[in-house]
Amino acid sequence: MSHDRNHLLMTFMENREALRAYLARQFGNATVAEDLTQETWLRVAGRTLGERICNPRAYIFRIARNLGMDLRRREALGIEVQADPALVELLPDFRIDPARRAEAARDLQNLVEIIEQLPLRCREVFILCRVEGLDHQQVAERLGISKSTVVSQMVKAMQRIEKAMP
């Protein structure tokens, strides 16, 4: 990777939050701003080397603004990106009939009751790992216990839950 590309990528990283804030102001939507920021990164990272860029920050902001304007034009014209029909057919149907929804609600309530019956430490470890998504080391640090204790508590929790589930 050349010095110019490194400099351009570093400039992007240094200005990422400013760019996102600029796009949010310009387009009035934080989600769109985040998407445009990501697309700008892809454009910058995929740039083939050519002439030297005198003002990398301005260059990056111009790419982002142009992407946003393209998005506005597509929206104004009602243009949507169409997926390949063969791919659409592969997507599962997420509609759930009322009977299945009621069954899922019962299963969830049952699971909550089982988790509530776990011993306190076991329950804490389980919730931090499975609900909050922390890894074993993070749980150990948060609770002030060893990583092996976290592992043993998770094993205990999973065994009890599996045994109690119908």
mmCIF file of all heavy atoms in Angstrom, residues 36-76:
data_model
loop_
_atom_site.group_PDB
_atom_site.id
_atom_site.type_symbol
_atom_site.label_atom_id
_atom_site.label_comp_id
_atom_site.label_asym_id
_atom_site.label_seq_id
_atom_site.Cartn_x
_atom_site.Cartn_y
_atom_site.Cartn_z
ATOM 1 N N LEU A 36 -23.890 6.070 4.634
ATOM 2 C CA LEU A 36 -23.066 6.833 3.698
ATOM 3 C C LEU A 36 -21.611 6.888 4.149
ATOM 4 O O LEU A 36 -20.696 6.831 3.316
ATOM 5 C CB LEU A 36 -23.622 8.249 3.524
ATOM 6 C CG LEU A 36 -24.951 8.358 2.775
ATOM 7 C CD1 LEU A 36 -25.500 9.771 2.857
ATOM 8 C CD2 LEU A 36 -24.801 7.906 1.322
ATOM 9 N N THR A 37 -21.392 6.977 5.442
ATOM 10 C CA THR A 37 -20.024 6.975 5.967
ATOM 11 C C THR A 37 -19.349 5.651 5.639
ATOM 12 O O THR A 37 -18.199 5.619 5.191
ATOM 13 C CB THR A 37 -20.025 7.228 7.491
ATOM 14 O OG1 THR A 37 -20.654 8.482 7.741
ATOM 15 C CG2 THR A 37 -18.622 7.238 8.055
ATOM 16 N N GLN A 38 -20.067 4.554 5.828
ATOM 17 C CA GLN A 38 -19.514 3.231 5.522
ATOM 18 C C GLN A 38 -19.237 3.097 4.033
ATOM 19 O O GLN A 38 -18.194 2.578 3.628
ATOM 20 C CB GLN A 38 -20.482 2.142 5.988
ATOM 21 C CG GLN A 38 -19.959 0.746 5.798
ATOM 22 C CD GLN A 38 -18.735 0.445 6.626
ATOM 23 O OE1 GLN A 38 -18.553 0.996 7.690
ATOM 24 N NE2 GLN A 38 -17.873 -0.422 6.144
ATOM 25 N N GLU A 39 -20.153 3.548 3.208
ATOM 26 C CA GLU A 39 -19.958 3.483 1.759
ATOM 27 C C GLU A 39 -18.770 4.343 1.338
ATOM 28 O O GLU A 39 -18.010 3.969 0.440
ATOM 29 C CB GLU A 39 -21.231 3.924 1.036
ATOM 30 C CG GLU A 39 -21.145 3.819 -0.472
ATOM 31 C CD GLU A 39 -20.974 2.390 -0.980
ATOM 32 O OE1 GLU A 39 -21.427 1.445 -0.320
ATOM 33 O OE2 GLU A 39 -20.366 2.234 -2.071
ATOM 34 N N THR A 40 -18.602 5.480 1.998
ATOM 35 C CA THR A 40 -17.452 6.334 1.705
ATOM 36 C C THR A 40 -16.164 5.595 2.025
ATOM 37 O O THR A 40 -15.202 5.630 1.253
ATOM 38 C CB THR A 40 -17.538 7.655 2.500
ATOM 39 O OG1 THR A 40 -18.753 8.307 2.147
ATOM 40 C CG2 THR A 40 -16.359 8.558 2.203
ATOM 41 N N TRP A 41 -16.130 4.906 3.171
ATOM 42 C CA TRP A 41 -14.947 4.122 3.539
ATOM 43 C C TRP A 41 -14.631 3.085 2.450
ATOM 44 O O TRP A 41 -13.488 2.925 2.044
ATOM 45 C CB TRP A 41 -15.159 3.419 4.876
ATOM 46 C CG TRP A 41 -14.139 2.337 5.111
ATOM 47 C CD1 TRP A 41 -14.317 1.008 4.998
ATOM 48 C CD2 TRP A 41 -12.768 2.522 5.489
ATOM 49 N NE1 TRP A 41 -13.158 0.343 5.284
ATOM 50 C CE2 TRP A 41 -12.188 1.244 5.588
ATOM 51 C CE3 TRP A 41 -11.981 3.636 5.746
ATOM 52 C CZ2 TRP A 41 -10.856 1.051 5.931
ATOM 53 C CZ3 TRP A 41 -10.653 3.437 6.102
ATOM 54 C CH2 TRP A 41 -10.103 2.161 6.189
ATOM 55 N N LEU A 42 -15.667 2.405 1.969
ATOM 56 C CA LEU A 42 -15.449 1.399 0.932
ATOM 57 C C LEU A 42 -14.878 2.019 -0.334
ATOM 58 O O LEU A 42 -13.988 1.453 -0.968
ATOM 59 C CB LEU A 42 -16.756 0.666 0.631
ATOM 60 C CG LEU A 42 -17.301 -0.194 1.766
ATOM 61 C CD1 LEU A 42 -18.686 -0.716 1.425
ATOM 62 C CD2 LEU A 42 -16.351 -1.330 2.084
ATOM 63 N N ARG A 43 -15.380 3.195 -0.686
ATOM 64 C CA ARG A 43 -14.858 3.881 -1.868
ATOM 65 C C ARG A 43 -13.407 4.305 -1.673
ATOM 66 O O ARG A 43 -12.580 4.166 -2.568
ATOM 67 C CB ARG A 43 -15.702 5.108 -2.201
ATOM 68 C CG ARG A 43 -17.112 4.809 -2.606
ATOM 69 C CD ARG A 43 -17.190 4.275 -4.031
ATOM 70 N NE ARG A 43 -18.520 3.874 -4.353
ATOM 71 C CZ ARG A 43 -19.385 4.601 -5.050
ATOM 72 N NH1 ARG A 43 -19.044 5.789 -5.487
ATOM 73 N NH2 ARG A 43 -20.597 4.145 -5.288
ATOM 74 N N VAL A 44 -13.110 4.850 -0.507
ATOM 75 C CA VAL A 44 -11.754 5.315 -0.221
ATOM 76 C C VAL A 44 -10.794 4.123 -0.179
ATOM 77 O O VAL A 44 -9.714 4.164 -0.780
ATOM 78 C CB VAL A 44 -11.702 6.110 1.106
ATOM 79 C CG1 VAL A 44 -10.285 6.352 1.561
ATOM 80 C CG2 VAL A 44 -12.450 7.436 0.948
ATOM 81 N N ALA A 45 -11.179 3.067 0.509
ATOM 82 C CA ALA A 45 -10.312 1.895 0.643
ATOM 83 C C ALA A 45 -10.104 1.191 -0.694
ATOM 84 O O ALA A 45 -9.048 0.612 -0.934
ATOM 85 C CB ALA A 45 -10.897 0.931 1.666
ATOM 86 N N GLY A 46 -11.098 1.251 -1.567
ATOM 87 C CA GLY A 46 -11.003 0.588 -2.861
ATOM 88 C C GLY A 46 -10.458 1.461 -3.969
ATOM 89 O O GLY A 46 -10.403 1.038 -5.121
ATOM 90 N N ARG A 47 -10.049 2.662 -3.620
ATOM 91 C CA ARG A 47 -9.563 3.618 -4.630
ATOM 92 C C ARG A 47 -8.291 3.099 -5.287
ATOM 93 O O ARG A 47 -7.362 2.682 -4.616
ATOM 94 C CB ARG A 47 -9.267 4.962 -3.969
ATOM 95 C CG ARG A 47 -8.782 6.003 -4.943
ATOM 96 C CD ARG A 47 -8.508 7.310 -4.230
ATOM 97 N NE ARG A 47 -8.083 8.325 -5.150
ATOM 98 C CZ ARG A 47 -6.812 8.499 -5.523
ATOM 99 N NH1 ARG A 47 -5.876 7.730 -5.047
ATOM 100 N NH2 ARG A 47 -6.496 9.457 -6.374
ATOM 101 N N THR A 48 -8.290 3.108 -6.610
ATOM 102 C CA THR A 48 -7.069 2.766 -7.331
ATOM 103 C C THR A 48 -6.199 4.007 -7.381
ATOM 104 O O THR A 48 -6.687 5.129 -7.500
ATOM 105 C CB THR A 48 -7.375 2.286 -8.767
ATOM 106 O OG1 THR A 48 -8.120 3.303 -9.430
ATOM 107 C CG2 THR A 48 -8.147 0.991 -8.750
ATOM 108 N N LEU A 49 -4.921 3.768 -7.239
ATOM 109 C CA LEU A 49 -3.999 4.895 -7.188
ATOM 110 C C LEU A 49 -3.941 5.594 -8.532
ATOM 111 O O LEU A 49 -3.917 4.975 -9.575
ATOM 112 C CB LEU A 49 -2.615 4.423 -6.757
ATOM 113 C CG LEU A 49 -2.577 3.812 -5.361
ATOM 114 C CD1 LEU A 49 -1.190 3.310 -5.058
ATOM 115 C CD2 LEU A 49 -3.014 4.825 -4.336
ATOM 116 N N GLY A 50 -3.937 6.879 -8.475
ATOM 117 C CA GLY A 50 -3.867 7.705 -9.675
ATOM 118 C C GLY A 50 -3.133 8.970 -9.316
ATOM 119 O O GLY A 50 -2.081 8.923 -8.672
ATOM 120 N N GLU A 51 -3.735 10.067 -9.663
ATOM 121 C CA GLU A 51 -3.089 11.338 -9.340
ATOM 122 C C GLU A 51 -3.117 11.596 -7.841
ATOM 123 O O GLU A 51 -3.977 11.109 -7.120
ATOM 124 C CB GLU A 51 -3.750 12.478 -10.096
ATOM 125 C CG GLU A 51 -5.194 12.732 -9.699
ATOM 126 C CD GLU A 51 -5.846 13.799 -10.538
ATOM 127 O OE1 GLU A 51 -6.001 13.568 -11.744
ATOM 128 O OE2 GLU A 51 -6.189 14.856 -9.961
ATOM 129 N N ARG A 52 -2.148 12.365 -7.382
ATOM 130 C CA ARG A 52 -2.011 12.683 -5.961
ATOM 131 C C ARG A 52 -3.168 13.584 -5.523
ATOM 132 O O ARG A 52 -3.570 14.489 -6.233
ATOM 133 C CB ARG A 52 -0.678 13.383 -5.741
ATOM 134 C CG ARG A 52 -0.402 13.683 -4.303
ATOM 135 C CD ARG A 52 1.029 14.199 -4.164
ATOM 136 N NE ARG A 52 1.274 14.711 -2.855
ATOM 137 C CZ ARG A 52 1.618 13.983 -1.809
ATOM 138 N NH1 ARG A 52 1.739 12.683 -1.952
ATOM 139 N NH2 ARG A 52 1.838 14.533 -0.641
ATOM 140 N N ILE A 53 -3.700 13.323 -4.339
ATOM 141 C CA ILE A 53 -4.800 14.114 -3.793
ATOM 142 C C ILE A 53 -4.196 15.186 -2.908
ATOM 143 O O ILE A 53 -3.525 14.886 -1.920
ATOM 144 C CB ILE A 53 -5.761 13.213 -2.998
ATOM 145 C CG1 ILE A 53 -6.355 12.168 -3.935
ATOM 146 C CG2 ILE A 53 -6.844 14.039 -2.334
ATOM 147 C CD1 ILE A 53 -7.111 11.083 -3.227
ATOM 148 N N CYS A 54 -4.445 16.443 -3.265
ATOM 149 C CA CYS A 54 -3.862 17.560 -2.524
ATOM 150 C C CYS A 54 -4.540 17.773 -1.175
ATOM 151 O O CYS A 54 -3.880 18.125 -0.201
ATOM 152 C CB CYS A 54 -3.935 18.845 -3.349
ATOM 153 S SG CYS A 54 -2.945 18.748 -4.851
ATOM 154 N N ASN A 55 -5.842 17.594 -1.112
ATOM 155 C CA ASN A 55 -6.579 17.811 0.133
ATOM 156 C C ASN A 55 -7.424 16.567 0.417
ATOM 157 O O ASN A 55 -8.597 16.495 0.039
ATOM 158 C CB ASN A 55 -7.466 19.051 0.009
ATOM 159 C CG ASN A 55 -8.130 19.435 1.309
ATOM 160 O OD1 ASN A 55 -8.249 18.624 2.219
ATOM 161 N ND2 ASN A 55 -8.580 20.668 1.387
ATOM 162 N N PRO A 56 -6.843 15.562 1.101
ATOM 163 C CA PRO A 56 -7.555 14.306 1.321
ATOM 164 C C PRO A 56 -8.870 14.474 2.079
ATOM 165 O O PRO A 56 -9.857 13.793 1.783
ATOM 166 C CB PRO A 56 -6.572 13.460 2.141
ATOM 167 C CG PRO A 56 -5.247 14.078 1.923
ATOM 168 C CD PRO A 56 -5.482 15.521 1.622
ATOM 169 N N ARG A 57 -8.926 15.378 3.047
ATOM 170 C CA ARG A 57 -10.158 15.579 3.818
ATOM 171 C C ARG A 57 -11.283 16.070 2.905
ATOM 172 O O ARG A 57 -12.402 15.544 2.942
ATOM 173 C CB ARG A 57 -9.924 16.574 4.951
ATOM 174 C CG ARG A 57 -11.133 16.732 5.863
ATOM 175 C CD ARG A 57 -10.814 17.678 7.037
ATOM 176 N NE ARG A 57 -11.837 17.643 8.053
ATOM 177 C CZ ARG A 57 -12.970 18.327 8.008
ATOM 178 N NH1 ARG A 57 -13.244 19.115 6.986
ATOM 179 N NH2 ARG A 57 -13.851 18.245 8.990
ATOM 180 N N ALA A 58 -10.994 17.052 2.086
ATOM 181 C CA ALA A 58 -12.000 17.573 1.154
ATOM 182 C C ALA A 58 -12.422 16.491 0.162
ATOM 183 O O ALA A 58 -13.609 16.378 -0.179
ATOM 184 C CB ALA A 58 -11.459 18.793 0.421
ATOM 185 N N TYR A 59 -11.478 15.694 -0.278
ATOM 186 C CA TYR A 59 -11.751 14.602 -1.213
ATOM 187 C C TYR A 59 -12.738 13.603 -0.592
ATOM 188 O O TYR A 59 -13.721 13.206 -1.219
ATOM 189 C CB TYR A 59 -10.430 13.919 -1.578
ATOM 190 C CG TYR A 59 -10.564 12.716 -2.464
ATOM 191 C CD1 TYR A 59 -10.790 12.848 -3.832
ATOM 192 C CD2 TYR A 59 -10.441 11.435 -1.943
ATOM 193 C CE1 TYR A 59 -10.898 11.728 -4.651
ATOM 194 C CE2 TYR A 59 -10.550 10.315 -2.749
ATOM 195 C CZ TYR A 59 -10.776 10.471 -4.102
ATOM 196 O OH TYR A 59 -10.887 9.368 -4.903
ATOM 197 N N ILE A 60 -12.493 13.227 0.662
ATOM 198 C CA ILE A 60 -13.348 12.270 1.358
ATOM 199 C C ILE A 60 -14.761 12.846 1.557
ATOM 200 O O ILE A 60 -15.764 12.173 1.310
ATOM 201 C CB ILE A 60 -12.711 11.877 2.711
ATOM 202 C CG1 ILE A 60 -11.462 11.033 2.448
ATOM 203 C CG2 ILE A 60 -13.702 11.142 3.607
ATOM 204 C CD1 ILE A 60 -10.563 10.852 3.650
ATOM 205 N N PHE A 61 -14.836 14.097 1.962
ATOM 206 C CA PHE A 61 -16.143 14.727 2.163
ATOM 207 C C PHE A 61 -16.895 14.842 0.835
ATOM 208 O O PHE A 61 -18.116 14.707 0.795
ATOM 209 C CB PHE A 61 -15.993 16.090 2.841
ATOM 210 C CG PHE A 61 -15.929 15.999 4.345
ATOM 211 C CD1 PHE A 61 -14.812 15.493 4.976
ATOM 212 C CD2 PHE A 61 -16.990 16.407 5.130
ATOM 213 C CE1 PHE A 61 -14.740 15.397 6.359
ATOM 214 C CE2 PHE A 61 -16.939 16.319 6.523
ATOM 215 C CZ PHE A 61 -15.810 15.811 7.137
ATOM 216 N N ARG A 62 -16.176 15.085 -0.259
ATOM 217 C CA ARG A 62 -16.811 15.185 -1.572
ATOM 218 C C ARG A 62 -17.385 13.831 -1.988
ATOM 219 O O ARG A 62 -18.504 13.761 -2.510
ATOM 220 C CB ARG A 62 -15.808 15.685 -2.613
ATOM 221 C CG ARG A 62 -16.321 15.708 -4.043
ATOM 222 C CD ARG A 62 -17.566 16.518 -4.229
ATOM 223 N NE ARG A 62 -17.300 17.924 -3.965
ATOM 224 C CZ ARG A 62 -18.215 18.867 -3.986
ATOM 225 N NH1 ARG A 62 -19.463 18.569 -4.274
ATOM 226 N NH2 ARG A 62 -17.916 20.101 -3.724
ATOM 227 N N ILE A 63 -16.640 12.760 -1.757
ATOM 228 C CA ILE A 63 -17.148 11.416 -2.066
ATOM 229 C C ILE A 63 -18.453 11.180 -1.302
ATOM 230 O O ILE A 63 -19.456 10.736 -1.867
ATOM 231 C CB ILE A 63 -16.117 10.324 -1.697
ATOM 232 C CG1 ILE A 63 -14.927 10.368 -2.646
ATOM 233 C CG2 ILE A 63 -16.763 8.935 -1.710
ATOM 234 C CD1 ILE A 63 -13.786 9.435 -2.236
ATOM 235 N N ALA A 64 -18.434 11.478 -0.005
ATOM 236 C CA ALA A 64 -19.611 11.259 0.837
ATOM 237 C C ALA A 64 -20.799 12.088 0.352
ATOM 238 O O ALA A 64 -21.928 11.590 0.265
ATOM 239 C CB ALA A 64 -19.284 11.597 2.290
ATOM 240 N N ARG A 65 -20.547 13.349 0.056
ATOM 241 C CA ARG A 65 -21.630 14.222 -0.416
ATOM 242 C C ARG A 65 -22.201 13.701 -1.729
ATOM 243 O O ARG A 65 -23.420 13.666 -1.919
ATOM 244 C CB ARG A 65 -21.110 15.646 -0.583
ATOM 245 C CG ARG A 65 -22.165 16.624 -1.046
ATOM 246 C CD ARG A 65 -21.686 18.053 -0.896
ATOM 247 N NE ARG A 65 -22.365 19.064 -1.649
ATOM 248 C CZ ARG A 65 -23.662 19.241 -1.812
ATOM 249 N NH1 ARG A 65 -24.492 18.405 -1.284
ATOM 250 N NH2 ARG A 65 -24.144 20.240 -2.501
ATOM 251 N N ASN A 66 -21.341 13.284 -2.645
ATOM 252 C CA ASN A 66 -21.806 12.748 -3.927
ATOM 253 C C ASN A 66 -22.632 11.476 -3.733
ATOM 254 O O ASN A 66 -23.660 11.289 -4.391
ATOM 255 C CB ASN A 66 -20.627 12.474 -4.858
ATOM 256 C CG ASN A 66 -19.995 13.754 -5.385
ATOM 257 O OD1 ASN A 66 -20.556 14.835 -5.277
ATOM 258 N ND2 ASN A 66 -18.805 13.628 -5.930
ATOM 259 N N LEU A 67 -22.198 10.608 -2.827
ATOM 260 C CA LEU A 67 -22.974 9.400 -2.544
ATOM 261 C C LEU A 67 -24.355 9.763 -1.999
ATOM 262 O O LEU A 67 -25.365 9.155 -2.372
ATOM 263 C CB LEU A 67 -22.230 8.517 -1.538
ATOM 264 C CG LEU A 67 -20.998 7.794 -2.061
ATOM 265 C CD1 LEU A 67 -20.210 7.173 -0.910
ATOM 266 C CD2 LEU A 67 -21.390 6.725 -3.070
ATOM 267 N N GLY A 68 -24.400 10.758 -1.124
ATOM 268 C CA GLY A 68 -25.675 11.211 -0.571
ATOM 269 C C GLY A 68 -26.576 11.811 -1.635
ATOM 270 O O GLY A 68 -27.792 11.567 -1.644
ATOM 271 N N MET A 69 -25.994 12.586 -2.530
ATOM 272 C CA MET A 69 -26.797 13.186 -3.611
ATOM 273 C C MET A 69 -27.329 12.099 -4.545
ATOM 274 O O MET A 69 -28.474 12.180 -5.006
ATOM 275 C CB MET A 69 -25.960 14.210 -4.379
ATOM 276 C CG MET A 69 -25.530 15.409 -3.535
ATOM 277 S SD MET A 69 -26.884 16.241 -2.684
ATOM 278 C CE MET A 69 -27.726 16.963 -4.063
ATOM 279 N N ASP A 70 -26.502 11.085 -4.820
ATOM 280 C CA ASP A 70 -26.975 9.961 -5.638
ATOM 281 C C ASP A 70 -28.158 9.267 -4.970
ATOM 282 O O ASP A 70 -29.137 8.916 -5.627
ATOM 283 C CB ASP A 70 -25.849 8.941 -5.860
ATOM 284 C CG ASP A 70 -24.764 9.458 -6.795
ATOM 285 O OD1 ASP A 70 -24.980 10.477 -7.482
ATOM 286 O OD2 ASP A 70 -23.680 8.824 -6.821
ATOM 287 N N LEU A 71 -28.054 9.088 -3.657
ATOM 288 C CA LEU A 71 -29.143 8.472 -2.903
ATOM 289 C C LEU A 71 -30.411 9.313 -3.008
ATOM 290 O O LEU A 71 -31.497 8.780 -3.250
ATOM 291 C CB LEU A 71 -28.743 8.303 -1.438
ATOM 292 C CG LEU A 71 -29.807 7.732 -0.509
ATOM 293 C CD1 LEU A 71 -30.159 6.304 -0.907
ATOM 294 C CD2 LEU A 71 -29.327 7.788 0.932
ATOM 295 N N ARG A 72 -30.295 10.620 -2.849
ATOM 296 C CA ARG A 72 -31.471 11.511 -2.969
ATOM 297 C C ARG A 72 -32.099 11.415 -4.350
ATOM 298 O O ARG A 72 -33.321 11.384 -4.483
ATOM 299 C CB ARG A 72 -31.066 12.959 -2.699
ATOM 300 C CG ARG A 72 -31.055 13.309 -1.251
ATOM 301 C CD ARG A 72 -30.902 14.795 -1.078
ATOM 302 N NE ARG A 72 -30.945 15.137 0.331
ATOM 303 C CZ ARG A 72 -30.515 16.280 0.814
ATOM 304 N NH1 ARG A 72 -30.000 17.198 0.012
ATOM 305 N NH2 ARG A 72 -30.593 16.528 2.097
ATOM 306 N N ARG A 73 -31.260 11.379 -5.394
ATOM 307 C CA ARG A 73 -31.790 11.277 -6.757
ATOM 308 C C ARG A 73 -32.562 9.969 -6.944
ATOM 309 O O ARG A 73 -33.648 9.956 -7.515
ATOM 310 C CB ARG A 73 -30.653 11.347 -7.779
ATOM 311 C CG ARG A 73 -30.254 12.743 -8.132
ATOM 312 C CD ARG A 73 -29.284 12.748 -9.332
ATOM 313 N NE ARG A 73 -28.229 13.687 -9.052
ATOM 314 C CZ ARG A 73 -27.047 13.421 -8.509
ATOM 315 N NH1 ARG A 73 -26.703 12.192 -8.244
ATOM 316 N NH2 ARG A 73 -26.167 14.355 -8.276
ATOM 317 N N ARG A 74 -31.978 8.868 -6.462
ATOM 318 C CA ARG A 74 -32.670 7.569 -6.590
ATOM 319 C C ARG A 74 -33.997 7.600 -5.844
ATOM 320 O O ARG A 74 -35.008 7.095 -6.331
ATOM 321 C CB ARG A 74 -31.785 6.442 -6.056
ATOM 322 C CG ARG A 74 -30.653 6.053 -6.985
ATOM 323 C CD ARG A 74 -29.994 4.749 -6.555
ATOM 324 N NE ARG A 74 -29.551 4.721 -5.182
ATOM 325 C CZ ARG A 74 -28.365 5.131 -4.733
ATOM 326 N NH1 ARG A 74 -27.490 5.639 -5.581
ATOM 327 N NH2 ARG A 74 -28.055 5.034 -3.453
ATOM 328 N N GLU A 75 -34.003 8.184 -4.645
ATOM 329 C CA GLU A 75 -35.244 8.268 -3.872
ATOM 330 C C GLU A 75 -36.273 9.136 -4.584
ATOM 331 O O GLU A 75 -37.459 8.795 -4.622
ATOM 332 C CB GLU A 75 -34.966 8.820 -2.476
ATOM 333 C CG GLU A 75 -34.252 7.842 -1.572
ATOM 334 C CD GLU A 75 -33.844 8.454 -0.238
ATOM 335 O OE1 GLU A 75 -33.891 9.694 -0.097
ATOM 336 O OE2 GLU A 75 -33.473 7.682 0.654
ATOM 337 N N ALA A 76 -35.832 10.261 -5.140
ATOM 338 C CA ALA A 76 -36.753 11.177 -5.829
ATOM 339 C C ALA A 76 -37.359 10.520 -7.065
ATOM 340 O O ALA A 76 -38.518 10.767 -7.405
ATOM 341 C CB ALA A 76 -36.032 12.467 -6.212
#
